[in-house]
Short mmCIF file of all heavy atoms in Angstrom, two decimals:
data_model
loop_
_atom_site.label_atom_id
_atom_site.label_comp_id
_atom_site.label_asym_id
_atom_site.label_seq_id
_atom_site.Cartn_x
_atom_site.Cartn_y
_atom_site.Cartn_z
N PHE I 31 -3.75 43.19 -22.96
CA PHE I 31 -3.70 44.58 -23.42
C PHE I 31 -4.80 45.35 -22.73
O PHE I 31 -5.97 45.09 -22.93
CB PHE I 31 -3.92 44.59 -24.94
CG PHE I 31 -3.55 45.88 -25.60
CD1 PHE I 31 -2.23 46.23 -25.74
CD2 PHE I 31 -4.52 46.71 -26.08
CE1 PHE I 31 -1.89 47.40 -26.35
CE2 PHE I 31 -4.19 47.88 -26.71
CZ PHE I 31 -2.87 48.23 -26.84
N ASP I 32 -4.41 46.28 -21.89
CA ASP I 32 -5.42 47.09 -21.20
C ASP I 32 -4.97 48.54 -21.14
O ASP I 32 -3.89 48.90 -21.59
CB ASP I 32 -5.71 46.54 -19.80
CG ASP I 32 -4.48 46.48 -18.92
OD1 ASP I 32 -3.45 47.05 -19.29
OD2 ASP I 32 -4.56 45.87 -17.85
N SER I 33 -5.79 49.37 -20.56
CA SER I 33 -5.54 50.81 -20.58
C SER I 33 -4.34 51.22 -19.73
O SER I 33 -3.84 52.33 -19.89
CB SER I 33 -6.78 51.55 -20.09
OG SER I 33 -7.07 51.18 -18.75
N SER I 34 -3.83 50.34 -18.88
CA SER I 34 -2.66 50.69 -18.08
C SER I 34 -1.41 50.82 -18.93
O SER I 34 -0.42 51.42 -18.50
CB SER I 34 -2.44 49.65 -16.98
OG SER I 34 -2.09 48.41 -17.56
N GLN I 35 -1.44 50.31 -20.15
CA GLN I 35 -0.28 50.37 -21.02
C GLN I 35 -0.24 51.65 -21.85
O GLN I 35 0.67 51.85 -22.63
CB GLN I 35 -0.25 49.16 -21.94
CG GLN I 35 -0.09 47.87 -21.16
CD GLN I 35 -0.25 46.66 -22.04
OE1 GLN I 35 -0.75 46.74 -23.14
NE2 GLN I 35 0.16 45.51 -21.53
N PHE I 36 -1.20 52.53 -21.67
CA PHE I 36 -1.24 53.81 -22.37
C PHE I 36 -0.85 54.92 -21.40
O PHE I 36 -1.15 54.85 -20.21
CB PHE I 36 -2.64 54.11 -22.92
CG PHE I 36 -3.02 53.23 -24.06
CD1 PHE I 36 -3.81 52.12 -23.84
CD2 PHE I 36 -2.59 53.50 -25.33
CE1 PHE I 36 -4.17 51.30 -24.89
CE2 PHE I 36 -2.94 52.69 -26.38
CZ PHE I 36 -3.73 51.59 -26.16
N GLN I 37 -0.23 55.96 -21.92
CA GLN I 37 0.12 57.09 -21.07
C GLN I 37 -1.14 57.82 -20.61
O GLN I 37 -1.25 58.20 -19.46
CB GLN I 37 1.04 58.03 -21.81
CG GLN I 37 2.41 57.44 -22.05
CD GLN I 37 3.29 58.36 -22.86
OE1 GLN I 37 2.85 59.37 -23.36
NE2 GLN I 37 4.55 57.99 -22.98
N ASN I 38 -2.06 58.02 -21.51
CA ASN I 38 -3.33 58.69 -21.19
C ASN I 38 -4.45 57.68 -21.22
O ASN I 38 -5.39 57.80 -21.96
CB ASN I 38 -3.62 59.83 -22.18
CG ASN I 38 -2.59 60.92 -22.08
OD1 ASN I 38 -1.99 61.12 -21.04
ND2 ASN I 38 -2.36 61.63 -23.16
N GLY I 39 -4.38 56.66 -20.39
CA GLY I 39 -5.35 55.59 -20.39
C GLY I 39 -6.73 56.01 -19.91
O GLY I 39 -7.69 55.27 -20.05
N THR I 40 -6.88 57.21 -19.37
CA THR I 40 -8.17 57.61 -18.82
C THR I 40 -9.20 57.90 -19.90
O THR I 40 -10.39 57.73 -19.66
CB THR I 40 -7.99 58.87 -17.94
OG1 THR I 40 -7.40 59.90 -18.74
CG2 THR I 40 -7.12 58.56 -16.74
N PHE I 42 -9.41 56.39 -22.94
CA PHE I 42 -9.46 55.32 -23.93
C PHE I 42 -10.53 54.31 -23.54
O PHE I 42 -10.58 53.85 -22.41
CB PHE I 42 -8.10 54.62 -24.02
CG PHE I 42 -7.97 53.72 -25.20
CD1 PHE I 42 -7.67 54.22 -26.44
CD2 PHE I 42 -8.17 52.36 -25.07
CE1 PHE I 42 -7.55 53.40 -27.53
CE2 PHE I 42 -8.06 51.53 -26.15
CZ PHE I 42 -7.75 52.05 -27.38
N PHE I 44 -12.02 50.67 -24.69
CA PHE I 44 -11.81 49.49 -25.53
C PHE I 44 -13.08 49.00 -26.19
O PHE I 44 -13.04 48.28 -27.17
CB PHE I 44 -11.18 48.35 -24.71
CG PHE I 44 -9.74 48.56 -24.45
CD1 PHE I 44 -9.31 49.14 -23.27
CD2 PHE I 44 -8.80 48.21 -25.38
CE1 PHE I 44 -7.98 49.34 -23.02
CE2 PHE I 44 -7.45 48.40 -25.16
CZ PHE I 44 -7.04 48.98 -23.97
#
Side-chain angles (χ1 to χ4, degrees):
F31 195 73
D32 59 11
S33 62
S34 66
Q35 296 172 345
F36 290 98
Q37 291 177 352
N38 296 333
T40 57
F42 193 81
F44 284 96

